[in-house]
Amino acid sequence: MSNVASKIQAFTAAKFESPPKFTEFCRNGGKPLGGIIGGRSVRGMMNATFETSDPGSLEVLATICEMGHSEVADAVNAATRAFQGDSGKGWKHTTVEERRQLVMKLVELCDRDRDVLLACEVRDGGKVSELAEGDFTQIRACAEYFCRVAAGAELGETEARPVADGVKGLTCREPWGVVAGIIPWNYPIVLTAWFIFPALLAGNCVLIKPAEDTPLSALYIGKLAEEAGFPPGVINVLPGRGEITGQSIAENPGVRFISFTGSPGVGQSILRTCDLHGTRMKREMGGNGAAIVLADADPGLVARWIGRYTNQHFGQTCCTIHRVFVDQKIADEFIDAQRAFFAGLKIGYQSNAGTQLGAVVNATQRARILRAQQETIARGGEAILAGGVAEVRDHNGYYLKPALFRTRPGVDCNPAEVFHTFATICPVESAEQALQLANRSPYGLGASVWTRDIPRGVALAKRFRDGTCQVNCHNSIAYGLPYGGQGISGGPGGGVNCEETFYDYTQIKALYVAEYPG
Ligand code: NAD
């Protein structure tokens, strides 16, 4: 393996200590952390609480109040009042510049409390610092991008033009009013930012429903929003279980638009509920990403790059690589290098320096992954690294070993997303065969081709059915380029992080005005 290859390593932890402000926030003076509704901390009628813990140590970090049907209704009412402006200027009457100033004030406060938000990501989310720090930068990047989009966006009315004899027509683009973001646990800060900034800048009031495993960052951002001066009700945070809090949001017709990020099954079920009363919904869902490695690639180098991506957040990354199709001429060398990379990952507690593979988010996920490892063998996969439970000294978290399987065309042993450092490698006769196999998946989020021949790589990459097609890179994200899934990975529309995303948070109406008849 070349020297260059050996320098490529997995995302790695630096030693992380939680700041006292994080501990103080979590303790909340001995009381459970409430939801945030209409600018107030709310305990909830159900009087139900749940604990959120560090998946690497199982230490309970905070107790959180669960928001039920009644609190969701209260939040919708508070957000509607804030939107309309019952007693004063409503959010819908604010200018884009006024919204921009508040959004950027919130970003400044996030920057001030960077270490607290990093602690949310590292401790609550179980992430290594290298990745958490990268995620944190998305707050500012996302806000600045959507401030630029909002400044140039065509909102309000177009000029009226004659459309028939005595009839003029125009369009009117306006915010929906109350919109909700249902967020998964794997990228809480990033996905909260991706939801709130375009939604707020377009003039909506928001309900944030964080995942039950990682509620802390959204609650902290909600607290900072109050300090930034957002009017009460513009930003509401509703922690709780999916089937209680999330379901109540989906059932509430006052929520005009839902941005859902999560698994395909849950997204499909929420869509059916939304359809009952006409709430619009956008879905960004799971993936089972493919990488095609052509014969001209350096197997040692590319195996390490692919290993870094597969292991990003311990494989709990929606668009990452879990299926590799490698030209049979370099397959053995590639498999050896990939095995060495996976086997060399340092398994440990995510806050300890050097950790590259930490605990998965909860016991259910651990059981699911273990089952998937066994099923891969039952379906004909040949274990290169069989996975299984890992022990980490002094830490009692949900640790697992990486898993790697060899397969062959026609053996469908990796049909569904396995959210871990898990991949199948399939030697193929040609790029054409690889492409056909890659596109056979019902998912379509991210895929890549690895080759020295860039024009050939581009030509092949364009033929993936995925929403994000890449050459010699993976898990790529840039503001201005849509990030979205095809097949069961997402829809409708172009995805997030582009101009179209901003317009998703608006509705367009046609207005016809005819002469008075008579
Ligand atoms: P999930 O679908 O279980 O949960 C996502 C959110 O939906 C959570 O907040 C949950 O509480 C809520 N929810 C669950 N049941 C609900 C219901 N009946 N009604 C309303 N809300 C409900 O997903 P997860 O396990 O939290 O996250 C992992 C999944 O998210 C993976 O499939 C991953 O690939 C996907 N994901 C996709 C993207 C993307 O951009 N495409 C990004 C990150 C994660």
Side-chain angles (χ1 to χ4, degrees), residues 287-291 310 320-325 342 369 371-382 403-408 410-426 437-438 440-443:
N288 200 10
T310 301
T320 203
I321 302 166
H322 293 295
R323 296 177 300 139
V324 183
F325 302 96
F342 272 30
I369 294 160
R371 207 166 46 241
Q373 291 171 353
Q374 286 164 8
E375 279 171 11
T376 308
I377 293 176
R379 286 170 168 269
E382 190 189 309
L404 193 60
F405 301 88
R406 187 180 178 126
T407 181
R408 55 184 193 282
V411 174
D412 187 15
C413 63
N414 183 3
E417 178 181 50
V418 178
F419 232 31
H420 196 238
T421 305
F422 166 101
T424 50
I425 303 179
C426 181
L437 293 167
R440 210 168 271 172
S441 167
Y443 300 89

Side-chain angles (χ1 to χ4, degrees), residues 431-517:
E432 242 2 90
Q433 185 183 35
L435 200 60
Q436 276 179 24
L437 293 167
N439 279 342
R440 210 168 271 172
S441 167
Y443 300 89
L445 197 52
S448 55
V449 178
W450 297 77
T451 176
R452 292 174 208 264
D453 183 345
I454 305 287
R456 185 173 179 219
V458 170
L460 280 168
K462 280 175 12 193
R463 292 171 59 204
F464 284 124
R465 82 162 185 162
D466 300 62
T468 303
C469 309
Q470 300 143 101
V471 178
N472 297 330
C473 55
H474 207 103
N475 297 350
S476 312
I477 283 164
Y479 293 97
L481 297 185
Y483 177 71
Q486 302 296 323
I488 62 168
S489 294
V496 297
N497 289 344
C498 57
E499 273 190 44
E500 196 179 322
T501 316
F502 180 81
Y503 289 112
D504 284 339
Y505 290 101
T506 65
Q507 58 178 329
I508 188 158
K509 294 172 178 169
L511 181 62
Y512 294 88
V513 185
E515 301 292 333
Y516 183 70

Side-chain angles (χ1 to χ4, degrees), residues 19-76:
K21 202 167 179 178
F22 171 74
T23 314
E24 201 183 304
F25 168 66
C26 290
R27 283 206 189 116
N28 194 36
K31 296 191 302 263
L33 281 163
I36 301 174
I37 299 176
R40 288 183 312 114
S41 171
V42 172
R43 189 172 169 106
M45 298 254 292
M46 297 189 298
N47 220 7
T49 57
F50 63 99
E51 289 173 339
T52 188
S53 49
D54 175 330
S57 65
L58 304 193
E59 178 192 337
V60 173
L61 299 171
T63 304
I64 317 283
C65 301
E66 182 166 52
M67 302 294 102
H69 212 265
S70 161
E71 290 70 42
V72 168
D74 289 348
V76 171

Side-chain angles (χ1 to χ4, degrees), residues 181-187 191 194 209-213 240-250 260-267 269-270 273 283-288 316-319 361-362 365 368 417 419 443 445 483-485 489-490 496:
I182 301 183
I183 314 283
W185 47 261
N186 61 337
Y187 284 84
L191 296 170
W194 287 5
K209 152 68 181 89
E212 43 274 56
D213 283 305
R241 281 166 292 171
E243 60 273 30
I244 304 290
T245 319
Q247 185 68 24
S248 302
I249 291 172
F260 170 79
T261 312
S263 55
V266 171
S269 138
I270 300 176
T273 307
R283 292 159 293 146
E284 301 303 337
M285 301 182 286
N288 200 10
Q316 304 172 117
T317 299
C318 50
C319 51
V361 73
N362 60 35
Q365 275 299 111
R368 242 184 233 161
E417 178 181 50
F419 232 31
Y443 300 89
L445 197 52
Y483 177 71
S489 294
V496 297

